[in-house]
């Protein structure tokens, strides 16, 4: 699943369990909304949520991406 946040910013999520998508194509989401439920689909060895960040369509380091926006992990 990918979410377009506008302004060239996007995020991607993977390993969502079957039936675990809480939003659909074209739906607007807000900060704090539940978008999916973690699972172990694909090449995963346990329950997890894969997170990706994109700027202008190119992948960027999600840790740096979040830190630049005041989010620490």
């Amino acid at each position: 699943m990918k979410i377009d946040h506008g302004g060239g910013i996007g995020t991607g999520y993977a390993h969502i369990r079957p039936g675990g998508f809480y939003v659909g194509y074209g739906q607007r989401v807000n900060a704090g909304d539940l978008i999916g439920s973690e699972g172990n689909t694909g090449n995963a060895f346990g329950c997890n949520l894969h997170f990706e960040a994109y700027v202008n369509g190119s992948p960027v380091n999600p840790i740096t991406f979040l830190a630049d926006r005041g989010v620490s992990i």
Side-chain angles (χ1 to χ4, degrees), residues 7-35:
I9 303 297
T11 53
Y13 307 85
H15 303 303
I16 295 174
R17 69 175 176 79
F21 291 96
Y22 300 154
V23 297
Y25 182 80
Q27 182 177 344
R28 291 188 175 270
V29 295
N30 297 301
D33 287 352
L34 295 177
I35 58 169

Side-chain angles (χ1 to χ4, degrees):
M1 168 192 321
K2 285 190 178 180
I3 295 179
D4 179 355
H5 298 275
I9 303 297
T11 53
Y13 307 85
H15 303 303
I16 295 174
R17 69 175 176 79
F21 291 96
Y22 300 154
V23 297
Y25 182 80
Q27 182 177 344
R28 291 188 175 270
V29 295
N30 297 301
D33 287 352
L34 295 177
I35 58 169
S37 179
E38 75 276 358
N40 63 351
T41 61
N43 192 18
F45 296 100
C47 194
N48 72 94
L49 178 65
H50 179 92
F51 174 75
E52 301 172 339
Y54 300 89
V55 176
N56 296 320
S58 296
V60 296
N61 182 326
I63 294 173
T64 306
F65 173 84
L66 291 171
D68 289 347
R69 288 154 180 82
V71 179
S72 61
I73 54 172

